[in-house]
Amino acid sequence: MRRALACACAALLLAAGGAQAQGMRIPQPTRGLMPNPAAGKKLYEANCVQCHGADLRGTPTGPPLLHPVYVPSHHGDVSFQLAVKYGSRRHHWNFGDMPPVPGLTPDDVVHITAYVRGEQRKVGIQ
């Protein structure tokens, strides 16, 4: 029940275009955008691979995205938007804080997220 209420509140905020997370404005992709995992893979390779690895299994400088901690129910898609826009404080790993990733639009992040989620499903992370 609590989860349903929280999801409903989040949906209302997003629909209103005024969603915020911890005082940060949530980047909004283009309404009606269709996620494109193939485009996301190219964007991932150009912007994320150096820390998260070509195989999404991490590097000495960044955590693996093919890990149960990134299950969508724990790190939802909006967390990718926030991490890219504002960076992310170290909280699961000892790699230090993730800096913001300049040059990526909210639409780009939707595509990257679609790619990552597809790869996660292939290894049973749902």
Side-chain angles (χ1 to χ4, degrees), residues 51-75:
C51 292
H52 296 289
D55 59 0
L56 288 85
R57 295 188 187 277
T59 70
T61 59
L65 296 174
L66 296 184
H67 189 281
V69 77
Y70 292 107
V71 67
S73 63
H74 182 67
H75 280 93

Side-chain angles (χ1 to χ4, degrees), residues 4-20 28 31:
L5 182 57
C7 288
C9 288
L12 285 172
L13 283 171
L14 287 170
Q20 291 193 0
Q28 297 296 308
R31 182 167 281 205

Side-chain angles (χ1 to χ4, degrees), residues 82-126:
L82 292 169
V84 168
K85 175 76 175 175
Y86 301 108
S88 179
R89 294 178 75 182
R90 176 180 69 94
H91 57 288
H92 289 297
W93 313 95
N94 291 319
F95 295 103
D97 296 342
M98 175 184 157
V101 183
L104 289 174
T105 68
D107 289 0
D108 293 337
V109 177
V110 166
H111 300 313
I112 292 168
T113 304
Y115 166 66
V116 170
R117 294 300 190 206
E119 296 302 301
Q120 288 175 333
R121 285 190 295 278
K122 290 178 185 176
V123 298
I125 298 170
Q126 300 184 27

Side-chain angles (χ1 to χ4, degrees), residues 13-53:
L13 283 171
L14 287 170
Q20 291 193 0
Q22 299 177 4
M24 295 179 283
R25 205 146 181 67
I26 298 172
Q28 297 296 308
T30 302
R31 182 167 281 205
L33 177 70
M34 294 298 296
N36 182 330
K41 181 178 182 181
K42 289 178 184 174
L43 288 161
Y44 176 89
E45 290 169 346
N47 296 280
C48 312
V49 74
Q50 56 273 30
C51 292
H52 296 289

